[in-house]
Every structure is written in C-alpha cells, then in structure tokens.
Amino acid sequence: MARERGTGRNRGPSHSSDASHIRLSAMDDSLEPEDADAQPSRWHFLHDALAPALKFPGRTWAYLRTSPGRLTAMTTILVIAIVAAGGALTYASSTRQDQLNNLVKNTEPLSNAAQRLYGSLSVADSTATIGFLEGGVGSQSEDERYTTAIQTASTALVEAGAGANSDDHEVLQLLAVVNQRLPIYTGLIAQARTNNREGNPIGASYLTEASAIMQNSIIPAASRLYTITSDRVRHQARSLTRPMWFPASGLLAAIILLIIAQLWLAALTNRRLNGGLLFATVAMTIALFWLAISSIVIVAVGNADFNRASDPLHELTASRISAQKARTDEALMLVRRSADQSSADFSTTVSDVQKTLTQLKDDGTLDDADDNQNTDASSTTKPSDALDDAIVAANSWKVSHQELANRIGRGDYTGAVNIAVGRDESTLNSERQFIQLDHSLRALIQDTRSNLRTYLENSQDTSQNITRAVLILSVLSVVGVLIGVRPRMQEYT
C-alpha cells in the first residue's frame, strides 16, 4: 500500500508535467507559424526591392572590365567632353552677345546722347552771345541756330535720362544738374535779349551771368557725362576683344581625349586608325584653330579697328566743344570791349583744335575710313574732304580773329563786330568760317560714330559665325565618334 501510494504520488506529478508541456508546446506551435511567416516576408520584400540596386555597381564594374564595356565608357567620355566643349563655347558666346547687345543698344546710344547734349549746349551758348552783338535778337539764322541747339539739347537730355540705369547715381546726378540749370540759363538769355533790345546796359550782366552758368556748371556736367559714357563704351568694347580661353581649353581637352582614345583603340583592336575618331579629331582641331585664329584677329585687328573708330570720335567731339568755347570767348571779348585775356584764350583753344585736326590728317585714320565705311548715298562729302575743309576753316578763322582783336585795340568796335557777325565784305568773316568749321566737325563726328557702330555690329556677326561653326563641328565630331565605335561594338555582339 505504501509502495502503491508512493507510486501513485510519483505518477501524479509526472502526468501533470507532461500535460503542461503538451499545452505549452501546443501554444508555441500555435504562435510560431504566424510570427515566423510574417517577419521573413517583410525582409524578403525589402531584399527583393533592393537587390537589383545593390547588384548594379558590381554588374556595372564587371561589364566595364569587358571590351564592350570599355568601348562604351570611352564613347561616353568622348561624347561628354565634346558636348561640354561646345556648351562652354555656347555659354561664353551667349554672354558675349548679351554684352554686345547692351553696348549697341544702351551704352553707345547713351554716349551719343551725351555727346549731342554736350555739343548742343556749347552751340546755344556761343550763338546766344553772338546774337547779343546784333541788338539782342540777332539775325534770323542766329535765332534759328540758338532755338535748334536748345531743342537738340533738350531731346538729348531726355534720351540720356531714358538710357541711364536707375542705379547709376553719378550719371543721374549729372543729368539732374543740366536739367535743373538749363531753364535758368535760357531765362537769363531771354532777359539779356529783352534788356539789350530796350537799350538797358544791364543786358550785358544777364548775358555774362548766363554764360558763366553755362561754362562753369552746365557744360562741365555735360562734359563729365560724355567722358563717363564714352569711357564705358571703350571699356566694354575692349573687354569683348579678349580671347575666349575657357572654351578653347575645352576644345583642346576634347582633342587630347580623342587622340588617347585612338591610341587605346588601336592597341585593343590591332588597327592603326579609326575613321570615325580620326574625323572627330580633325573636326575638333579645325574648331580649335578657327576659334584661336579668330580670337587673335579680334585682339589684334579688332582693337585697332575700335581705336580707329573711337579715338577720332572722342578727339573730334572735344575739338568741336573747344571751337564752340572759342566762339563764345570771341563774342564775350566784344561784349566787354577788351581783347586781352579773351583773345589769348581764343588763340590757345583754336591752336589746340588745329593741332588735333592736323594730327588726324597725318595719321590717315579718316582716309582709311573712306575705303571701309559704307556712307549714306545722300552724303557727297568724304571724311577726308570734311577734314580738309575743317583745317582750312580753322586757319582762316584764326586770321580773322587776329584782325578782329587788332580793330578792338584800335578802337574800331564797329569793324570788329562786322568781322564777328559776318558783315565784313572781305575774307575776314568769323561767322562764315566758324560755321564751316562746326559743320565739318559735325559731319566728321557723324562719320566716326557710324564707323564705331559698324565695328560693333560686325563684332556681333563675327561672334555669332564663330559660335555656329564650332557648334556644327562639335555635332559632327559626336557623330564621328558614334560611327567610329559602332563597328567595334558589333564585333562583340
């Protein structure tokens, strides 16, 4: 009984333990399949999605180690190099075209407006002073010249203001000076004429004050404006003649890569030359030489052409302004009835004008323009002829002025006025000689400005033609590379 009880006690726990193990095992079996199946399914999904990307570098590297892979890599590098060289040239050319367009459409017209403003103001001042000698109103021709000069100056002032940038503070400030003080000047001239017509001596004071405002304030502002704008034209034009080194270096790099590719391909295929790559190399070499030679020509010849057009324009404009100032000095000398300082200033100014004109004639710059310029069919005067006329007029004017000063010294004021306003029947006629000089200088300025714009427009055409040629050669080079490599690739398929 004891053994049985003991045996019963031993069997009881064993049965219970086995049952619990069975229940736990059943529970584990019921949970295991769901977790075991769910977790691997997520990892399998990520693995299937990323496997191609993870294997791509290895497959690519394995492919590049084969001959077809190397040919593909070589072709890709060559095409990228050629396209990059053509793209660099396109970008550089596009930038240069934008700069040229800005120069032709904005900077140069602004400079021309400043030049016309500068010259017209001087014409108005000298004409008003001469008119004062003839009773305050002057002849009809003098009155028309004065009115035309003021109108031209006003128009040029508006054009210069429209062409100036809003952030160009110095230019705007100079325009403001002219715009504010020009009405004051015209008002003083009107008062001087009125008082002189009525016989009031104060008219001379109004004239002197008006001329002082013009000579000391308005004309210096216009002169500074012209100097700034003309210097900008020179700076921008000369910057456009610089060689395009960056696109040239891209073309050179493409040529070097083409040569290396041909040598490698010859070693790979045991062939000496590849027709497509050879054609591409020749095309890119032509493009490089075309660009290099064009850059050299632009630097050497372009700078000379620009200087031939811009330097005379600057010198002739300065000469015309000087001649206008000399005419004003001559008139003021008569108003003051004194031939001391005004006569000396006149002689110095006209001598400078003669020196400039003689230098231009000796250099032959304007003679070259006769052959290169397409002048207007309505114009019958050549630049060289206008230059000769200006020299003759300046010499004759200087002689007339000397006699005018002598008559003032002798007290012959009426005779001096007759020379100044053109009533002298002899060849001593300052009026006619000055008008001839001014007309010739104005014609020369128009001719040289036309030469300058012709140069700028030709620069635009040259730049566009170079870009088109190099782009065409670049496209042909890409085609040559593809045609040259294609048969080699077919050997492996």
Side-chain angles (χ1 to χ4, degrees):
M1 298 242 345
R3 184 180 301 165
E4 287 179 0
R5 285 194 298 268
T7 303
R9 287 193 300 267
N10 291 336
R11 287 179 179 177
S14 176
H15 177 76
S16 174
S17 176
D18 291 341
S20 65
H21 279 299
I22 292 172
R23 287 195 301 271
L24 290 175
S25 177
M27 292 176 63
D28 291 340
D29 291 342
S30 63
L31 294 175
E32 238 177 355
E34 182 179 357
D35 292 343
D37 291 343
Q39 192 68 18
S41 65
R42 296 191 187 101
W43 284 108
H44 284 309
F45 174 77
L46 294 175
H47 182 270
D48 293 340
L50 297 177
L54 296 174
K55 295 178 180 179
F56 179 76
R59 291 178 179 177
T60 302
W61 177 248
Y63 175 73
L64 292 177
R65 294 176 64 182
T66 64
S67 295
R70 293 175 182 176
L71 287 173
T72 302
M74 179 198 73
T75 304
T76 302
I77 293 173
L78 291 179
V79 170
I80 292 175
I82 295 172
V83 172
L89 178 63
T90 302
Y91 174 78
S93 178
S94 176
T95 302
R96 181 160 293 192
Q97 285 295 319
D98 292 340
Q99 294 173 345
L100 272 171
N101 290 333
N102 179 64
L103 178 59
V104 172
K105 296 180 180 179
N106 298 320
T107 307
E108 195 280 332
L110 175 60
S111 178
N112 181 60
Q115 180 268 130
R116 289 190 295 110
L117 174 65
Y118 190 13
S120 299
L121 292 172
S122 297
V123 170
D125 190 40
S126 63
T127 305
T129 307
I130 289 297
F132 186 83
L133 299 175
E134 299 184 285
V137 292
S139 63
Q140 182 179 359
S141 61
E142 291 290 345
D143 186 62
E144 290 177 354
R145 289 188 70 217
Y146 172 78
T147 302
T148 301
I150 292 297
Q151 291 175 348
T152 302
S154 300
T155 302
L157 185 61
V158 172
E159 292 177 358
N165 295 325
S166 59
D167 57 347
D168 200 341
H169 302 295
E170 185 176 6
V171 169
L172 294 177
Q173 184 177 6
L174 293 171
L175 291 172
V177 170
V178 178
N179 193 39
Q180 292 170 0
R181 299 186 183 181
L182 184 58
I184 299 175
Y185 169 81
T186 56
L188 290 172
I189 290 297
Q191 291 181 356
R193 287 182 169 188
T194 301
N195 282 276
N196 192 44
R197 188 184 304 113
E198 296 176 355
N200 297 327
I202 197 175
S205 298
Y206 280 117
L207 177 66
T208 302
E209 183 180 357
S211 183
I213 291 176
M214 178 65 77
Q215 295 294 332
N216 299 329
S217 178
I218 300 178
I219 286 183
S223 174
R224 176 60 182 162
L225 178 65
Y226 173 68
T227 300
I228 291 174
T229 54
S230 62
D231 287 345
R232 287 179 182 175
V233 171
R234 291 179 179 221
H235 174 73
Q236 292 182 17
R238 286 175 178 168
S239 66
L240 295 174
T241 61
R242 296 173 184 170
M244 293 187 287
W245 296 118
F246 180 69
S249 63
L251 294 174
L252 180 61
I255 293 173
I256 293 174
L257 289 176
L258 284 168
I259 294 175
I260 294 175
Q262 288 184 84
L263 295 176
W264 176 81
L265 192 60
L268 179 67
T269 61
N270 294 322
R271 293 180 175 87
R272 292 185 178 181
L273 296 175
N274 182 281
L277 295 182
L278 180 62
F279 173 80
T281 304
V282 172
M284 295 301 288
T285 303
I286 293 174
L288 177 62
F289 274 99
W290 196 327
L291 180 61
I293 293 173
S294 300
S295 299
I296 293 173
V297 171
I298 289 174
V299 171
V301 179
N303 281 331
D305 290 343
F306 175 75
N307 292 334
R308 190 179 296 113
S310 66
D311 291 347
L313 178 61
H314 183 75
E315 294 171 359
L316 289 168
T317 300
S319 296
R320 188 183 181 217
I321 302 305
S322 297
Q324 298 289 351
K325 184 178 183 301
R327 181 62 169 166
T328 302
D329 290 338
E330 187 175 57
L332 289 175
M333 182 179 66
L334 290 169
V335 172
R336 298 167 185 156
R337 302 194 179 206
S338 173
D340 47 7
Q341 186 59 41
S342 296
S343 182
D345 293 341
F346 175 92
S347 299
T348 301
T349 302
V350 175
S351 296
D352 291 340
V353 173
Q354 289 176 306
K355 182 179 179 180
T356 299
L357 296 176
T358 303
Q359 185 66 40
L360 289 173
K361 183 174 180 61
D362 293 340
D363 291 344
T365 301
L366 299 180
D367 292 334
D368 295 337
D370 289 350
D371 300 328
N372 298 329
Q373 179 188 4
N374 295 323
T375 56
D376 190 353
S378 62
S379 177
T380 58
T381 302
K382 293 182 178 181
S384 58
D385 294 338
L387 182 59
D388 292 335
D389 293 341
I391 293 174
V392 171
N395 293 334
S396 300
W397 185 24
K398 196 171 184 179
V399 173
S400 296
H401 178 81
Q402 185 60 46
E403 179 59 25
L404 183 151
N406 292 338
R407 292 188 183 187
I408 291 179
R410 296 195 303 266
D412 185 8
Y413 179 74
T414 302
V417 171
N418 289 337
I419 294 176
V421 299
R423 288 199 295 257
D424 197 290
E425 296 180 357
S426 67
T427 57
L428 301 175
N429 191 325
S430 291
E431 174 80 5
R432 183 177 65 249
Q433 291 152 0
F434 164 73
I435 291 176
Q436 177 61 48
L437 174 61
D438 186 69
H439 175 77
S440 299
L441 289 174
R442 188 169 63 250
L444 290 169
I445 289 171
Q446 292 174 351
D447 289 334
T448 51
R449 195 231 173 182
S450 177
N451 290 338
L452 178 60
R453 289 193 64 84
T454 299
Y455 162 78
L456 296 176
E457 291 168 0
N458 289 340
S459 298
Q460 283 184 306
D461 295 338
T462 301
S463 179
Q464 291 175 350
N465 291 335
I466 293 173
T467 303
R468 292 192 191 100
V470 174
L471 286 179
I472 291 174
L473 290 172
S474 299
V475 172
L476 293 177
S477 298
V478 171
V479 174
V481 169
L482 297 177
I483 292 176
V485 174
R486 184 171 179 273
R488 307 287 79 81
M489 291 290 293
Q490 290 177 337
E491 295 175 356
Y492 297 94
T493 58

